[in-house]
Amino acid sequence: MLPTVKVGMVQALSLFVIYSIFTTARAALKEGECEVCIKVLNKFKETLSDQDVKSTDTIETKFKKFCKNLRLKEERFCYYVGGLETSATTIIQAISKPMSYFKPNEKICEELKKKDSQICELKYDKQIDLAKADFKKLKVKDLKKILEGWGESSACKGCAEKSDFVRVIKELMPKYAPEAAKQREEL
């Protein structure tokens, strides 16, 4: 009876080892995962010239400059990787080095996910169709997000009522969403 127990233990242990190997090797990104990381790196890569990509120092410098103009989730991504002056840590080398030898952005994000899982947990907020939205039915939180997305969160400092937020959004819409403003006028 003792030998069968040992054989069962060996089989269980070997199955556990095989399972561990497959689960760690399967670190590929799932659909929709790391969407902020991939989008930011794609936008950043478009700003680089062929000469810029040859130097990791140049990539890091340009990335920090690129991050200064970002907001919301994209700014948070830069914070996580160390692209902002206020960042607590920096893992920009995990971006610059693979980028210098033309590694795809999806693979770079996979590596970043291993270093800091928060990076791939960032997701874009659902976009509100400003042309068709009934602002009176939206929550104040959503109205504030619209203003933040435009970089105008201070435009409604003294707003106390929902109607104040709606008024400010309607005033600023021709500047930040001209197509939506035109469509709303036509209705």
Side-chain angles (χ1 to χ4, degrees):
M1 184 156 269
L2 193 58
T4 33
V5 172
K6 287 184 180 179
V7 171
M9 289 288 280
V10 170
Q11 287 175 339
L13 186 59
S14 63
L15 285 173
F16 176 75
V17 170
I18 291 170
Y19 174 75
S20 299
I21 291 170
F22 280 113
T23 55
T24 55
R26 206 188 67 170
L29 296 177
K30 297 174 187 149
E31 184 69 33
E33 195 174 26
C34 287
E35 64 180 333
V36 174
C37 176
I38 293 168
K39 186 172 180 182
V40 169
L41 292 182
N42 285 339
K43 286 193 327 190
F44 172 62
K45 199 177 258 187
E46 289 174 6
T47 66
L48 297 175
S49 68
D50 292 339
Q51 191 65 30
D52 293 338
V53 179
K54 294 179 181 177
S55 166
T56 57
D57 291 336
T58 305
I59 292 171
E60 290 174 21
T61 304
K62 291 207 174 216
F63 185 74
K64 287 180 180 179
K65 186 177 178 184
F66 174 79
C67 284
K68 289 181 182 179
N69 299 322
L70 300 179
R71 292 189 304 267
L72 303 172
K73 304 290 182 177
E74 294 175 347
E75 181 182 39
R76 177 62 45 192
F77 168 76
C78 285
Y79 175 79
Y80 288 156
V81 297
L84 301 175
E85 292 178 15
T86 57
S87 297
T89 60
T90 180
I91 54 173
I92 294 180
Q93 307 86 341
I95 295 172
S96 62
K97 190 173 181 181
M99 200 173 270
S100 70
Y101 51 83
F102 303 99
K103 190 172 192 176
N105 291 336
E106 291 79 10
K107 296 293 182 186
I108 295 173
C109 290
E110 278 181 35
E111 295 299 316
L112 290 173
K113 180 182 177 183
K114 292 176 188 174
K115 294 180 184 297
D116 187 354
S117 63
Q118 303 179 88
I119 291 170
C120 285
E121 291 171 3
L122 288 171
K123 301 219 179 286
Y124 287 108
D125 294 329
K126 186 175 67 175
Q127 292 296 321
I128 297 170
D129 184 4
L130 297 175
K132 297 176 184 173
D134 184 359
F135 294 124
K136 294 175 184 172
K137 291 184 179 179
L138 290 176
K139 296 178 181 178
V140 173
K141 175 182 166 184
D142 294 328
L143 297 172
K144 286 181 178 181
K145 282 186 180 179
I146 292 170
L147 291 172
E148 286 175 21
W150 291 343
E152 293 283 353
S153 51
S154 61
C156 209
K157 280 278 191 215
C159 296
E161 302 283 326
K162 186 184 214 178
S163 59
D164 296 333
F165 286 99
V166 172
R167 179 183 45 76
V168 171
I169 287 173
K170 286 182 177 179
E171 288 172 5
L172 294 173
M173 193 181 294
K175 180 179 177 183
Y176 294 101
E179 291 298 318
K182 277 185 190 175
Q183 289 178 6
R184 289 182 79 82
E185 287 175 11
E186 292 171 0
L187 295 175

